[in-house]
Amino acid sequence: STTLTAHLGSRKHQKVVARDDSSSSDMKRSDSERKVAMAECVIRLYVQILGTKIRETRANVQRRQALTEEERDQEIDDEEVVFVEDKDDQQIYNPLNLPLGWDGKPIPYWLYKLHGLGVKFSCEICGNSVYRGRKAYEKHFQEARHSTNMRRLGIPNTRQFHGVATIDEAQALWERVQVDKKREVTNVDTVEEYEDSEGNVFNKKTYFDLKRQGLI
């Protein structure tokens, strides 16, 4: 017993105990760091998966903050009307004819309002097709269907015609574009100067007309 007591109190034994305590502390710290890293990984994954929903929710909050109290109350009443299902849970009551989401159910009313889907735009060039919301309407000008219909009218679907939805307006703009191009060519012919062998100066058009006639 005396020998054991002496051993436990020896410097050598104390060093071993200290080393073991340090090792145990390192293991606990390492385990804690792993848990923190795992939690951060899970959070980043949720942010990635729910990123679109988070952005839409933030935009909706900002939009609602700009509403008057009366407008907010009206919106709440509208939402209560839209999302009602019948007893057999088979058909969804959709009196406002809201677009359906990925789950086959009407999209939230606030999302419908956020994207302006209640506003309809038509395009005569595309056979009077109707687009719900400004975003879908603007996008269609660069799509194949609109470009094809523009070519059928003999008009290139360039940036100048973005936003032009009627045939008359597109044709009128195309005529103005062609006139402007001809005017630019005419300006070059009259502004650019040429000099003949005798030092006489002519504008480009006059110079080449005289040269074709053999007069200079």
Side-chain angles (χ1 to χ4, degrees):
S1 177
T2 303
T3 303
L4 177 60
T5 301
H7 170 73
L8 293 177
S10 67
R11 183 176 299 177
K12 181 178 180 180
H13 180 76
Q14 294 298 326
K15 286 183 178 180
V16 172
V17 171
R19 185 168 61 247
D20 290 344
D21 289 343
S22 176
S23 176
S24 176
S25 177
D26 289 342
M27 290 179 63
K28 289 181 180 178
R29 185 165 57 251
S30 177
D31 185 57
S32 176
E33 290 174 351
R34 276 198 301 271
K35 289 181 180 179
V36 172
M38 180 67 72
E40 290 177 348
C41 182
V42 171
I43 291 172
R44 284 196 294 268
L45 181 61
Y46 274 121
V47 170
Q48 182 178 353
I49 294 174
L50 301 174
T52 300
K53 195 70 176 178
I54 292 172
R55 287 192 295 272
E56 290 177 347
T57 301
R58 184 186 297 114
N60 183 51
V61 171
Q62 294 172 344
R63 182 186 64 82
R64 290 178 72 90
Q65 289 175 341
L67 297 178
T68 64
E69 184 176 355
E70 182 179 344
E71 290 172 332
R72 280 194 292 270
D73 292 340
Q74 180 62 46
E75 203 165 271
I76 291 173
D77 292 339
D78 290 339
E79 289 176 347
E80 290 176 350
V81 170
V82 172
F83 298 105
V84 178
E85 299 184 4
D86 60 9
K87 294 181 180 179
D88 59 10
D89 200 26
Q90 295 294 320
Q91 296 181 342
I92 298 175
Y93 186 50
N94 188 16
L96 296 184
N97 194 28
L98 298 175
L100 301 182
W102 62 270
D103 57 356
K105 296 180 180 181
I107 64 173
Y109 186 71
W110 65 262
L111 188 60
Y112 173 83
K113 296 280 286 185
L114 177 65
H115 292 292
L117 300 181
V119 182
K120 297 181 180 180
F121 301 88
S122 64
C123 179
E124 182 186 10
I125 295 173
C126 293
N128 292 316
S129 296
V130 176
Y131 300 88
R132 302 182 74 160
R134 169 67 64 177
K135 184 176 181 181
Y137 177 68
E138 293 290 341
K139 182 181 178 183
H140 104 277
F141 286 108
Q142 302 302 319
E143 293 177 345
R145 180 182 183 183
H146 188 83
S147 296
T148 299
N149 289 328
M150 288 288 284
R151 284 197 298 271
R152 288 172 180 168
L153 294 174
I155 303 173
N157 190 33
T158 59
R159 187 68 184 173
Q160 292 169 292
F161 295 90
H162 188 95
V164 178
T166 66
I167 294 175
D168 288 344
E169 187 179 355
Q171 290 175 333
L173 178 56
W174 177 231
E175 289 179 3
R176 289 199 299 272
V177 169
Q178 290 178 306
V179 169
D180 289 341
K181 285 184 177 179
K182 290 179 181 178
R183 186 179 294 115
E184 289 177 4
V185 172
T186 301
N187 289 339
V188 170
D189 288 342
T190 55
V191 171
E192 196 171 350
E193 295 182 337
Y194 286 78
E195 185 176 338
D196 65 7
S197 58
E198 298 180 357
N200 298 311
V201 178
F202 306 94
N203 63 46
K204 181 179 178 180
K205 186 176 184 306
T206 303
Y207 176 84
F208 282 103
D209 284 343
L210 292 174
K211 193 169 183 178
R212 276 194 298 270
Q213 297 174 28
L215 299 176
I216 57 174

